[in-house]
Amino acid sequence: MASPLLLVPSDPLAPRVPDEHFMREADAARQAGMKVAVVDHDALLGGDVRAAVRRIPASDGEQAACYRGWMMPFAAYSLLDAGLGTRGVRLLTDSAAYRSAHELPGWYNTFADLTPASVWSPWEAGRMPAIADVGALTRTLGGGPGVVKDYVKSRKYEWHEACFVPDLADVTAATRVIGRMVELQGDDLAGGIVVRAFEQFTQDGDGRSLEARIWWVAGSAVLITPHPDAPAGTTVDVPTAVCDAVGASVRTLGAPFVTTDLALRSDGVWRVIEVGDGQVSDLPAAEDPGRLMRALAAGC
Ligand SMILES: Nc1ncnc2c1ncn2[C@@H]1O[C@H](COP(=O)(O)OP(=O)(O)O)[C@@H](O)[C@H]1O
Ligand SMILES: [Mg+2]
């Protein structure tokens, strides 16, 4: 099978060339034998899909593609998928698969034994939750500390204000934190509200949990990197048995290109903090993109 086409966002100031952030990956993809084309991310988010895909070479319908770029909402990905179709290009990750890996409700059940207990509810951007809404949402989690986010992202840098709830039984306090998360996400609130039971993870000297990101292509682990937020020089190691257990869930999920972020709980158990679509997961700057691109070239 011919290698898929790699799509990357274009540089907003030089629309024919890849955005600087993805330039190294584009170069590595070419070295791995892939062709590279650019997508106009801003046009896509603005809803102008024709403009977004106009630099993609048209094909006879047999051209498979994968994407490496900025995160985008499910609706924008669906639009991209449809727009590429008009040029005879087919994303190997269809929009249903993108959603299943990108949004917590899509992957949670498949990873339920490996990840903190979670509840969620669709939610409209900008609408403030009432105490009764939050009480109904969090009831099954009971009391104890919790973490809130939307279907995709948290406000982890506003931890006490908009991410961490000291005791979910205090519904008034939980409503305040969730309300602040909704407010700060603004129009970017993805899908709805997620509340997760807090688990204690081992931490580095700065109080950060150390996360390992496993990159899965066609159900196989092809790369393990530190989380991109980890300080430069961080190394990570995940036991093979843990990788095997996570891999079984990745293969059940079925999306072709997935990342899983893992952290070591303080009782020594590895846990999945979040799952992502590999197309929009950031690769640490210090990482050589060659290995990942060769895996994608071989077929995602
Ligand atoms: N259930 C949890 N228990 C403890 N810490 C958590 C939990 N969920 C998330 N965290 C912490 O919050 C951070 C952000 O959560 P995450 O789900 O990865 O959101 P984001 O998509 O914003 O990275 C994680 O890196 C981890 O340190
Ligand atoms: Mg994360």
Side-chain angles (χ1 to χ4, degrees):
M1 193 185 84
S3 290
L5 176 69
L6 185 75
L7 306 175
V8 294
S10 55
D11 183 334
L13 301 176
R16 286 170 199 284
V17 297
D19 187 290
E20 160 128 40
H21 189 81
F22 297 98
M23 192 65 96
R24 288 179 332 123
E25 294 187 33
D27 289 343
R30 287 193 199 93
Q31 275 174 31
M34 297 168 92
K35 290 203 164 64
V36 176
V38 291
V39 172
D40 185 333
H41 183 81
D42 295 337
L44 183 62
L45 291 197
D48 188 351
V49 68
R50 265 173 73 100
V53 302
R54 79 194 166 98
R55 294 188 196 279
I56 313 286
S59 115
D60 56 7
E62 292 303 307
Q63 180 63 65
C66 57
Y67 175 74
R68 279 289 301 155
W70 308 119
M71 265 187 194
M72 63 179 89
F74 164 69
Y77 191 87
S78 301
L79 206 59
L80 176 63
D81 199 11
L84 290 170
T86 66
R87 301 189 76 79
V89 174
R90 179 179 55 86
L91 282 166
L92 285 164
T93 301
D94 65 24
S95 46
Y98 178 77
R99 186 171 220 174
S100 74
H102 185 56
E103 297 187 349
L104 181 139
W107 56 261
Y108 177 78
N109 287 336
T110 310
F111 288 83
D113 293 343
L114 300 169
T115 198
S118 307
V119 293
W120 62 85
S121 171
W123 201 258
E124 196 186 317
R127 185 174 146 222
M128 284 302 112
I131 289 176
D133 299 321
V134 171
L137 175 62
T138 58
R139 190 165 301 130
T140 53
L141 288 179
V147 170
V148 308
K149 57 185 294 185
D150 67 19
Y151 284 4
V152 177
K153 287 307 278 180
S154 69
R155 304 294 308 192
K156 58 189 166 196
Y157 300 114
E158 289 112 345
W159 183 251
H160 291 288
E161 189 187 341
C163 193
F164 179 68
V165 179
D167 183 3
L168 291 168
D170 182 350
V171 181
T172 307
T175 305
R176 197 163 50 234
V177 174
I178 294 172
R180 187 67 179 138
M181 184 276 293
V182 169
E183 187 182 350
L184 289 169
Q185 298 296 56
D187 288 341
D188 294 333
L189 184 86
I193 298 167
V194 170
V195 183
R196 317 196 69 190
F198 175 88
E199 297 184 5
Q200 191 67 57
F201 297 107
T202 55
Q203 296 185 334
D204 67 12
D206 297 327
R208 262 186 300 229
S209 57
L210 186 59
E211 291 176 38
R213 175 164 288 181
I214 311 181
W215 298 74
W216 304 88
V217 174
S220 297
V222 298
L223 184 66
I224 302 182
T225 68
H227 189 282
D229 293 347
T234 302
T235 53
V236 286
D237 192 20
V238 180
T240 309
V242 174
C243 237
D244 290 348
V246 175
S249 291
V250 169
R251 288 185 287 278
T252 303
L253 187 69
F257 182 20
V258 170
T259 53
T260 51
D261 292 346
L262 277 76
L264 186 59
R265 203 167 57 191
S266 37
D267 63 358
V269 177
W270 282 90
R271 301 287 276 165
V272 172
I273 301 235
E274 63 174 336
V275 176
D277 186 288
Q279 299 179 110
V280 297
S281 296
D282 206 19
L283 187 68
E287 205 64 41
D288 174 2
R291 194 136 145 216
L292 184 60
M293 294 305 136
R294 285 191 293 278
L296 292 178
C300 62

